[in-house]
Amino acid sequence: QVHLVESGGGLVQAGGSLRLSCGASGTIRSINTMGWYRQAPGKQRELVALISSGGGTKYSEAESMKDRFTISRDNAKNTVDLQINSLKPEDTAVYYCYADGWGRDYWGKGTLVTVSS
């Protein structure tokens, strides 16, 4: 079992930056990919970014998210971070930490990011 706990969400003005962090505990050795998804009010959960244990990354291809998100991972600390720059009101969402390992998907409870215009 893997437990994921997010932190770093909050209220920020449009144009600002935010850094989200996620810490993993439990059966750490099973974790392969980690990453972030988000779910805006009334919308489906969508991919933001993923990062493998080797550092390979995959980002959402959505035009609205291009070049503003950077994912990083510290395997020694079992953490994955998401840096978000040039925040827009449409980035308002609950951001969920994700991990997979040994054929299972794990999710954090989410952290709310609210961007005011």
Side-chain angles (χ1 to χ4, degrees), residues 38 68-69 84 86-93 95 113 115:
R38 72 181 187 183
R68 299 190 297 115
F69 293 77
I84 315 172
S86 303
L87 278 155
K88 305 175 181 180
E90 51 263 43
D91 293 322
T92 295
Y95 285 72
V113 172
V115 184

Side-chain angles (χ1 to χ4, degrees), residues 6 9 29 34 45 49 61 66-67 70 76 89 94 100 110 117:
E6 304 96 336
R29 65 185 183 278
M34 298 185 76
R45 192 172 297 189
E61 296 182 0
K66 249 180 192 178
D67 300 327
T70 303
V94 177
D100 72 23
S117 57

Side-chain angles (χ1 to χ4, degrees), residues 21-55:
S21 294
C22 172
S25 61
T27 314
I28 304 300
R29 65 185 183 278
S30 71
I31 295 176
N32 180 18
T33 299
M34 298 185 76
W36 294 89
Y37 285 74
R38 72 181 187 183
Q39 187 166 16
K43 295 188 176 181
Q44 288 189 327
R45 192 172 297 189
E46 62 176 345
L47 169 70
V48 177
L50 298 172
I51 185 167
S52 71
S53 56

